[in-house]
Amino acid sequence: MMRTRPLKVALLGCGVVGSEVARIMTTHADDLAARIGAPVELAGVAVRRPSKVREGIDPALVTTDATALVKRGDIDVVVEVIGGIEPARALITTAFEHGASVVSANKALLAQDGAALHAAAEQHGRDLYYEAAVAGAIPLIRPLRESLAGDKVNRVLGIVNGTTNFILDKMDTTGAGYQEALDEATALGYAEADPTADVEGFDAAAKAAILAGIAFHTRVRLDDVYREGMTEVTAADFASAKEMGCTIKLLAICERAADGESVTARVHPAMIPLTHPLASVRGAYNAVFVESDASGQLMFYGPGAGGSPTASAVLGDLVAVCRNRLSGATGPGESAYAALPVSGMGDVVTRYHISLDVADKPGVLAQVATVFAEHGVSIDTVRQQGKDGEASLVVVTHRASDAALTGTVEALRKLDTVRGVASIMRVEGE
């Protein structure tokens, strides 16, 4: 039997995502009520610019006092889509204190203070859901913390930023340079006026922290994630990748150590074989590859950003949280019982592609090979091309630790015959 009294929802933020949430709540009101077991009512919308016309939203619901809105006491669920650290953090904790559950899309806040927010939700017996914080419409958070709750996840490897994937895909398929591809992404609305958060990996690093924490039942903060942007990736790197049967993606990689006693989380450009499912992810799409003991390999794919896809994830959480409210229960909270140490990048083991500018004369290859051997880094393949006294030397290693590779490169720079290190790129997905 459906309850007639509506569940009241406060919306914090009414930009691209927030306005879509409000629209769907209105146009799909009957369906949402049937799925939840009670109507949902938009009880207030907090914005910074109240004078802006917002189609489909009653102006009487609009307020600039977000704190007063979440303090009302009759709000069942607060939907936070304003982003950033403050005032979002204070508003979310205030919502818990005044009896509301929270649905958030705030990846930066959750990556930085997720543990504290979960603790506040638990203290007040309320839900904190955030499917929309990672990979837009792609169902990922809930499968990791619910569907795979009985499994052991060993690795999460993914493309979690649509802007960077669009840029790298353009560089790969058209031969465009980085700036040209970025300009196109900006013109099409895929890149912000200031793309730093995307192209320097900050956005992906926040998502990696959230994914690692859920996958490994361990608290992983943003500061624990190694981050490297993709602004230095060149057409020459793509040419080298193609010669190896690879392409280049900006990847978020969260993995359990071989002995199971620690975890790592990192974001950086990497070459991946064209045979890997992630290699075929084009444009601004996202995809995440999950490897676990029992289920094996799973891939989640779809639009990772945008108003409608992100609003879809928000509404999915809203339905779940409202159902919990009606039943008097709460959903899964933080699971950090494993408390595994988070290792630094130096402990990461992978393959490497190193391009060196060297003197074109006898003995150079032997010198370079000796340096690799002295640092315990095994060489898989070597390719050398020379002309007019200068040459390029491309070395692909077997699996080695980042610390060993760093020591190798430092030693290579000291050789008189090495003019410079043109590029270093990790090779993943094998």
Side-chain angles (χ1 to χ4, degrees):
M1 182 176 177
M2 183 178 294
R3 191 181 86 166
T4 57
R5 183 169 64 83
L7 292 160
K8 295 188 176 183
V9 178
L11 178 60
L12 308 183
C14 198
V16 174
V17 175
S19 60
E20 274 297 291
V21 170
R23 183 189 67 80
I24 296 171
M25 284 184 64
T26 301
T27 58
H28 295 180
D30 291 343
D31 287 336
L32 291 172
R35 295 165 190 172
I36 292 168
V40 287
E41 173 189 313
L42 189 58
V45 182
V47 300
R48 286 185 298 177
R49 297 186 295 275
S51 60
K52 181 180 177 181
V53 176
R54 294 173 172 85
E55 186 177 350
I57 296 177
D58 183 352
L61 298 178
V62 176
T63 178
T64 58
D65 194 343
T67 302
L69 178 59
V70 300
K71 282 184 174 181
R72 273 177 37 172
D74 64 336
I75 300 297
D76 294 289
V77 184
V78 169
V79 174
E80 183 271 309
V81 288
I82 57 178
I85 305 302
E86 291 293 356
R89 174 169 48 196
L91 291 169
I92 289 173
T93 54
T94 300
F96 291 141
E97 291 165 1
H98 287 78
S101 290
V102 173
V103 173
S104 176
N106 196 330
K107 55 188 170 287
L109 178 58
L110 288 159
Q112 179 171 307
D113 288 319
L117 294 178
H118 274 293
E122 183 177 1
Q123 178 186 350
H124 296 284
R126 295 295 178 252
D127 277 323
L128 174 62
Y129 276 47
Y130 44 91
E131 184 68 64
V134 180
I138 304 172
L140 185 58
I141 300 297
R142 196 168 297 135
L144 279 174
R145 72 176 184 178
E146 296 181 34
S147 304
L148 296 176
D151 206 343
K152 179 184 178 184
V153 176
N154 296 308
R155 196 172 197 228
V156 180
L157 174 77
I159 299 165
V160 295
N161 183 277
T163 300
T164 54
N165 198 59
F166 178 89
I167 292 170
L168 292 173
D169 184 37
K170 281 295 175 182
M171 293 176 70
D172 183 26
T173 58
T174 70
Y178 166 75
Q179 189 61 51
E180 183 183 353
L182 173 59
D183 290 344
E184 183 175 353
T186 303
L188 292 172
Y190 292 128
E192 301 287 346
D194 179 1
T196 303
D198 295 322
V199 300
E200 294 295 350
F202 292 100
D203 175 84
K207 295 170 182 175
I210 294 169
L211 291 174
I214 296 170
F216 307 132
H217 304 279
T218 291
R219 287 179 178 170
V220 179
R221 288 171 51 89
L222 181 58
D223 291 345
D224 295 322
V225 182
Y226 172 84
R227 178 193 56 78
E228 185 180 316
M230 41 78 71
T231 57
E232 300 301 318
V233 176
T234 66
D237 292 325
F238 274 103
S240 293
K242 287 180 179 179
E243 290 180 0
M244 290 179 57
C246 293
T247 188
I248 299 172
K249 300 291 186 182
L250 184 76
L251 298 178
I253 304 170
C254 314
E255 56 190 351
R256 195 185 298 266
D259 61 7
E261 297 302 314
S262 64
V263 299
T264 58
R266 50 197 167 103
V267 169
H268 54 71
M271 294 182 180
I272 58 172
L274 294 175
T275 54
H276 194 281
L278 291 179
S280 61
V281 178
R282 300 297 184 189
Y285 275 70
N286 284 192
V288 178
F289 202 70
V290 177
E291 301 173 10
S292 63
D293 277 359
S295 60
Q297 298 177 331
L298 305 170
M299 185 162 137
F300 302 83
Y301 169 84
S308 294
T310 306
S312 171
V314 170
L315 267 296
D317 279 350
L318 179 63
V319 169
V321 170
C322 286
R323 287 172 175 169
N324 291 342
R325 294 284 286 194
L326 290 179
S327 66
T330 55
E334 182 188 32
S335 176
Y337 73 90
L340 296 171
V342 182
S343 297
M345 191 63 187
D347 296 325
V348 169
V349 175
T350 189
R351 298 177 66 206
Y352 291 87
H353 176 282
I354 305 102
S355 180
L356 304 172
D357 294 327
V358 299
D360 185 18
K361 62 183 183 180
V364 173
L365 180 56
Q367 286 184 325
V368 169
T370 297
V371 170
F372 276 88
E374 289 173 347
H375 289 81
V377 179
S378 176
I379 294 176
D380 181 18
T381 63
V382 178
R383 185 175 72 255
Q384 184 174 2
Q385 293 179 324
K387 183 179 180 181
D388 299 330
E390 299 295 331
S392 63
L393 191 66
V394 176
V395 179
V396 180
T397 74
H398 288 290
R399 290 175 65 82
S401 72
D402 189 83
L405 195 282
T406 298
T408 302
V409 172
E410 290 176 353
L412 288 171
R413 293 183 191 277
K414 296 177 181 178
L415 293 178
D416 291 338
T417 51
V418 174
R419 310 298 193 209
V421 179
S423 70
I424 302 171
M425 193 164 293
R426 297 166 185 88
V427 183
E428 301 285 348
E430 294 183 313

Coordinates of all heavy atoms in Angstrom, one line a residue, residues 292-355:
S292 N 38.2 -9.7 -9.7 CA 38.0 -10.3 -8.4 C 38.2 -11.8 -8.4 O 38.2 -12.4 -9.5 CB 36.7 -9.9 -7.8 OG 35.6 -10.5 -8.7
D293 N 38.3 -12.4 -7.2 CA 38.6 -13.8 -7.1 C 37.5 -14.6 -7.7 O 37.7 -15.5 -8.5 CB 38.8 -14.2 -5.6 CG 40.2 -13.9 -5.1 OD1 41.0 -13.4 -5.9 OD2 40.5 -14.2 -3.9
A294 N 36.3 -14.4 -7.3 CA 35.2 -15.3 -7.6 C 34.5 -15.0 -9.0 O 34.3 -15.8 -9.8 CB 34.1 -15.4 -6.5
S295 N 34.3 -13.7 -9.2 CA 33.5 -13.3 -10.4 C 34.5 -13.1 -11.6 O 34.0 -12.9 -12.7 CB 32.8 -12.0 -10.2 OG 33.6 -10.9 -9.8
G296 N 35.8 -13.1 -11.4 CA 36.7 -12.9 -12.5 C 36.8 -11.4 -12.9 O 37.0 -10.5 -12.1
Q297 N 36.6 -11.2 -14.2 CA 36.7 -9.9 -14.8 C 35.4 -9.3 -15.2 O 34.6 -10.0 -15.9 CB 37.7 -10.0 -16.0 CG 39.1 -10.4 -15.7 CD 39.9 -10.5 -16.9 OE1 39.5 -10.8 -18.0 NE2 41.2 -10.3 -16.8
L298 N 35.1 -8.1 -14.7 CA 33.8 -7.4 -15.0 C 34.2 -6.1 -15.6 O 35.2 -5.4 -15.2 CB 33.0 -7.2 -13.8 CG 32.7 -8.5 -12.9 CD1 32.1 -8.1 -11.6 CD2 31.7 -9.4 -13.7
M299 N 33.4 -5.6 -16.6 CA 33.6 -4.3 -17.1 C 32.3 -3.5 -17.1 O 31.2 -4.0 -17.4 CB 34.1 -4.3 -18.5 CG 34.4 -2.9 -19.1 SD 35.5 -3.0 -20.5 CE 34.7 -1.8 -21.6
F300 N 32.4 -2.2 -16.6 CA 31.2 -1.3 -16.5 C 31.5 -0.2 -17.4 O 32.6 0.5 -17.4 CB 31.1 -0.8 -15.1 CG 30.9 -1.9 -14.0 CD1 32.0 -2.6 -13.5 CD2 29.6 -2.2 -13.6 CE1 31.8 -3.6 -12.6 CE2 29.4 -3.2 -12.7 CZ 30.5 -3.9 -12.1
Y301 N 30.5 0.1 -18.3 CA 30.8 1.1 -19.4 C 29.6 2.0 -19.6 O 28.5 1.6 -19.5 CB 31.1 0.3 -20.7 CG 31.1 1.1 -22.0 CD1 32.2 1.8 -22.4 CD2 29.9 1.2 -22.8 CE1 32.2 2.5 -23.6 CE2 29.9 2.0 -23.9 CZ 31.1 2.6 -24.3 OH 31.1 3.3 -25.5
G302 N 29.9 3.3 -19.9 CA 28.8 4.2 -20.2 C 29.2 5.6 -20.1 O 30.4 5.9 -19.9
P303 N 28.3 6.6 -20.3 CA 28.6 8.0 -20.2 C 29.0 8.3 -18.7 O 28.3 8.0 -17.8 CB 27.3 8.7 -20.6 CG 26.2 7.7 -20.4 CD 26.8 6.3 -20.6
G304 N 30.1 9.0 -18.6 CA 30.6 9.3 -17.3 C 30.4 10.7 -16.7 O 30.8 11.0 -15.6
A305 N 29.7 11.5 -17.5 CA 29.5 12.9 -17.0 C 28.3 13.4 -17.8 O 27.7 12.7 -18.6 CB 30.7 13.7 -17.3
G306 N 27.9 14.7 -17.5 CA 26.8 15.3 -18.1 C 25.6 15.3 -17.2 O 25.5 14.6 -16.3
G307 N 24.7 16.3 -17.5 CA 23.5 16.5 -16.6 C 22.6 15.3 -16.5 O 22.4 14.8 -15.4
S308 N 22.1 14.7 -17.6 CA 21.2 13.6 -17.5 C 21.8 12.3 -17.0 O 21.2 11.7 -16.1 CB 20.6 13.3 -18.9 OG 19.8 14.4 -19.3
P309 N 23.0 11.9 -17.5 CA 23.6 10.7 -16.9 C 23.9 10.8 -15.4 O 23.6 9.9 -14.6 CB 24.9 10.5 -17.7 CG 24.7 11.2 -19.0 CD 23.8 12.4 -18.6
T310 N 24.4 11.9 -14.9 CA 24.7 12.1 -13.5 C 23.4 12.2 -12.7 O 23.3 11.6 -11.6 CB 25.6 13.3 -13.3 OG1 26.8 13.3 -14.1 CG2 26.0 13.4 -11.8
A311 N 22.4 12.8 -13.2 CA 21.1 12.9 -12.5 C 20.5 11.5 -12.4 O 19.9 11.2 -11.4 CB 20.2 13.9 -13.3
S312 N 20.7 10.7 -13.4 CA 20.2 9.3 -13.4 C 20.8 8.6 -12.1 O 20.1 7.9 -11.4 CB 20.6 8.6 -14.6 OG 20.3 7.2 -14.5
A313 N 22.1 8.7 -11.9 CA 22.7 8.1 -10.8 C 22.2 8.7 -9.5 O 22.0 8.0 -8.5 CB 24.2 8.2 -10.8
V314 N 22.0 10.0 -9.4 CA 21.5 10.7 -8.2 C 20.1 10.2 -7.9 O 19.8 9.8 -6.8 CB 21.4 12.2 -8.4 CG1 20.6 12.9 -7.3 CG2 22.8 12.8 -8.5
L315 N 19.2 10.0 -8.9 CA 17.9 9.6 -8.7 C 17.8 8.1 -8.3 O 17.0 7.7 -7.5 CB 17.0 9.8 -10.0 CG 16.2 11.1 -10.1 CD1 15.2 11.2 -9.0 CD2 17.1 12.3 -10.0
G316 N 18.8 7.3 -8.8 CA 18.8 5.9 -8.3 C 19.1 5.9 -6.8 O 18.5 5.1 -6.1
D317 N 20.1 6.7 -6.4 CA 20.3 6.8 -5.0 C 19.1 7.3 -4.2 O 18.8 6.8 -3.1 CB 21.6 7.7 -4.7 CG 22.9 7.0 -4.9 OD1 22.9 5.7 -5.1 OD2 23.9 7.6 -4.9
L318 N 18.5 8.3 -4.7 CA 17.3 8.9 -4.1 C 16.2 7.8 -3.8 O 15.6 7.8 -2.7 CB 16.8 10.0 -4.9 CG 15.5 10.8 -4.3 CD1 15.9 11.4 -3.0 CD2 15.0 11.8 -5.3
V319 N 16.0 7.0 -4.8 CA 15.0 5.9 -4.7 C 15.4 5.0 -3.5 O 14.6 4.6 -2.7 CB 14.8 5.2 -6.0 CG1 14.0 3.9 -5.8 CG2 14.1 6.1 -7.0
A320 N 16.7 4.6 -3.5 CA 17.2 3.7 -2.5 C 17.1 4.3 -1.1 O 16.6 3.6 -0.2 CB 18.6 3.3 -2.8
V321 N 17.5 5.5 -1.0 CA 17.4 6.2 0.3 C 16.0 6.4 0.8 O 15.7 6.1 2.0 CB 18.2 7.5 0.3 CG1 18.0 8.3 1.5 CG2 19.7 7.3 0.1
C322 N 15.1 6.7 -0.1 CA 13.7 6.9 0.3 C 13.1 5.6 0.7 O 12.3 5.5 1.7 CB 12.9 7.5 -0.9 SG 13.2 9.3 -1.1
R323 N 13.4 4.5 0.0 CA 12.9 3.2 0.5 C 13.4 2.9 1.9 O 12.7 2.3 2.7 CB 13.4 2.1 -0.5 CG 12.7 2.1 -1.9 CD 13.4 1.2 -2.8 NE 12.7 1.0 -4.1 CZ 13.2 0.4 -5.1 NH1 14.4 -0.1 -5.1 NH2 12.5 0.3 -6.3
N324 N 14.7 3.2 2.1 CA 15.2 2.9 3.5 C 14.4 3.8 4.5 O 14.2 3.3 5.6 CB 16.7 3.3 3.5 CG 17.5 2.3 2.7 OD1 17.1 1.2 2.4 ND2 18.7 2.7 2.4
R325 N 14.1 5.0 4.2 CA 13.4 5.9 5.1 C 12.0 5.2 5.5 O 11.6 5.2 6.6 CB 13.2 7.2 4.5 CG 14.4 8.0 4.3 CD 15.0 8.6 5.6 NE 14.2 9.8 6.1 CZ 14.7 10.6 7.0 NH1 15.9 10.4 7.5 NH2 13.9 11.6 7.4
L326 N 11.4 4.7 4.5 CA 10.0 4.1 4.7 C 10.1 2.9 5.5 O 9.2 2.6 6.4 CB 9.4 3.8 3.4 CG 8.9 5.0 2.5 CD1 8.3 4.5 1.2 CD2 7.9 5.9 3.2
S327 N 11.2 2.1 5.4 CA 11.3 0.8 6.1 C 12.0 1.0 7.5 O 12.0 0.1 8.3 CB 12.1 -0.2 5.3 OG 13.5 0.3 5.1
G328 N 12.5 2.3 7.7 CA 13.1 2.5 9.0 C 14.5 1.9 9.1 O 15.1 1.7 10.2
A329 N 15.1 1.6 7.9 CA 16.4 1.0 7.9 C 17.4 2.0 7.3 O 17.1 3.1 6.8 CB 16.4 -0.3 7.1
T330 N 18.7 1.6 7.3 CA 19.7 2.3 6.5 C 20.5 1.3 5.6 O 20.6 0.1 6.0 CB 20.7 3.0 7.5 OG1 21.3 2.1 8.4 CG2 20.1 4.2 8.2
G331 N 21.1 1.8 4.6 CA 21.8 1.0 3.7 C 23.3 0.8 4.2 O 23.6 1.2 5.3
P332 N 24.1 0.2 3.3 CA 25.5 0.0 3.7 C 26.2 1.3 4.0 O 26.1 2.3 3.3 CB 26.1 -0.7 2.5 CG 25.0 -1.2 1.7 CD 23.8 -0.2 2.0
G333 N 27.0 1.3 5.1 CA 27.8 2.5 5.4 C 29.3 2.2 5.0 O 29.5 1.4 4.1
E334 N 30.2 2.9 5.7 CA 31.6 2.7 5.3 C 32.0 1.3 5.8 O 31.7 0.8 6.9 CB 32.4 3.7 6.0 CG 33.9 3.6 5.7 CD 34.8 4.5 6.5 OE1 34.5 4.7 7.7 OE2 35.9 4.9 6.0
S335 N 32.8 0.6 4.9 CA 33.4 -0.7 5.3 C 34.9 -0.5 5.2 O 35.4 -0.6 4.1 CB 32.9 -1.8 4.3 OG 33.5 -3.0 4.6
A336 N 35.5 -0.3 6.3 CA 37.0 -0.1 6.3 C 37.7 -1.1 7.3 O 38.7 -0.8 7.8 CB 37.3 1.3 6.7
Y337 N 37.0 -2.2 7.5 CA 37.5 -3.2 8.5 C 38.9 -3.7 8.2 O 39.7 -4.0 9.0 CB 36.5 -4.4 8.6 CG 36.6 -5.3 7.5 CD1 37.4 -6.4 7.4 CD2 35.8 -5.1 6.3 CE1 37.5 -7.2 6.3 CE2 35.8 -5.9 5.2 CZ 36.7 -7.0 5.3 OH 36.7 -7.8 4.2
A338 N 39.2 -3.8 6.8 CA 40.5 -4.4 6.5 C 41.7 -3.6 6.9 O 42.7 -4.1 7.2 CB 40.5 -4.7 5.0
A339 N 41.5 -2.2 6.8 CA 42.5 -1.3 7.3 C 43.9 -1.6 6.7 O 44.9 -1.6 7.5 CB 42.5 -1.2 8.8
L340 N 44.0 -1.9 5.4 CA 45.2 -2.3 4.8 C 46.1 -1.0 4.6 O 45.6 0.1 4.3 CB 45.0 -2.9 3.5 CG 44.3 -4.3 3.5 CD1 44.0 -4.7 2.1 CD2 45.2 -5.3 4.2
P341 N 47.4 -1.1 4.8 CA 48.2 0.1 4.5 C 48.2 0.4 3.0 O 48.1 -0.5 2.2 CB 49.6 -0.4 5.0 CG 49.6 -1.9 4.9 CD 48.2 -2.3 5.3
V342 N 48.3 1.7 2.8 CA 48.3 2.2 1.4 C 49.8 2.4 1.0 O 50.4 3.3 1.6 CB 47.5 3.4 1.2 CG1 47.5 3.9 -0.3 CG2 46.1 3.2 1.7
S343 N 50.3 1.7 0.1 CA 51.7 1.8 -0.3 C 51.9 3.0 -1.2 O 51.0 3.4 -1.9 CB 52.2 0.5 -0.9 OG 52.1 -0.6 -0.1
G344 N 53.2 3.5 -1.3 CA 53.5 4.5 -2.2 C 53.8 4.0 -3.6 O 53.9 2.8 -3.9
M345 N 54.0 4.9 -4.5 CA 54.2 4.6 -5.9 C 55.5 3.8 -6.1 O 55.6 3.0 -7.0 CB 54.3 5.9 -6.7 CG 54.3 5.6 -8.2 SD 52.7 4.9 -8.7 CE 53.0 4.6 -10.5
G346 N 56.5 3.9 -5.2 CA 57.7 3.2 -5.4 C 57.6 1.7 -5.3 O 58.4 0.9 -5.9
D347 N 56.5 1.2 -4.7 CA 56.2 -0.2 -4.6 C 55.5 -0.8 -5.7 O 55.3 -2.0 -5.8 CB 55.5 -0.5 -3.3 CG 56.3 -0.2 -2.0 OD1 57.5 -0.3 -2.1 OD2 55.7 0.3 -1.0
V348 N 54.9 0.1 -6.6 CA 54.1 -0.4 -7.7 C 55.0 -1.1 -8.7 O 56.1 -0.6 -9.1 CB 53.4 0.8 -8.4 CG1 52.8 0.3 -9.7 CG2 52.3 1.3 -7.5
V349 N 54.5 -2.3 -9.2 CA 55.3 -3.1 -10.2 C 54.5 -3.1 -11.5 O 53.3 -3.5 -11.5 CB 55.5 -4.5 -9.7 CG1 56.2 -5.4 -10.7 CG2 56.3 -4.5 -8.4
T350 N 55.1 -2.7 -12.6 CA 54.5 -2.7 -13.9 C 55.6 -2.7 -15.0 O 56.8 -2.7 -14.7 CB 53.5 -1.5 -14.0 OG1 52.8 -1.7 -15.2 CG2 54.3 -0.2 -14.1
R351 N 55.2 -2.7 -16.2 CA 56.1 -2.6 -17.3 C 56.3 -1.1 -17.7 O 55.4 -0.3 -17.4 CB 55.6 -3.4 -18.5 CG 55.5 -4.9 -18.3 CD 54.9 -5.5 -19.6 NE 55.8 -5.5 -20.7 CZ 55.5 -5.5 -22.0 NH1 54.2 -5.6 -22.3 NH2 56.4 -5.4 -22.9
Y352 N 57.4 -0.8 -18.4 CA 57.7 0.6 -18.8 C 58.1 0.6 -20.2 O 58.8 -0.3 -20.7 CB 58.8 1.1 -17.8 CG 58.3 1.4 -16.4 CD1 58.4 0.3 -15.5 CD2 57.8 2.6 -16.0 CE1 57.9 0.5 -14.2 CE2 57.3 2.8 -14.7 CZ 57.4 1.7 -13.8 OH 56.9 1.9 -12.6
H353 N 57.8 1.8 -20.8 CA 58.3 2.1 -22.1 C 59.1 3.4 -22.0 O 58.6 4.4 -21.6 CB 57.0 2.4 -23.1 CG 57.4 2.8 -24.4 ND1 57.7 4.1 -24.7 CD2 57.4 2.1 -25.6 CE1 58.0 4.2 -26.0 NE2 57.7 3.1 -26.6
I354 N 60.4 3.3 -22.3 CA 61.3 4.4 -22.1 C 61.9 4.8 -23.5 O 62.5 4.0 -24.2 CB 62.4 4.1 -21.1 CG1 61.8 3.6 -19.8 CG2 63.3 5.3 -20.9 CD1 61.9 2.2 -19.6
S355 N 61.8 6.1 -23.8 CA 62.4 6.6 -25.1 C 63.6 7.5 -24.7 O 63.4 8.5 -24.0 CB 61.3 7.3 -25.9 OG 61.9 7.8 -27.1

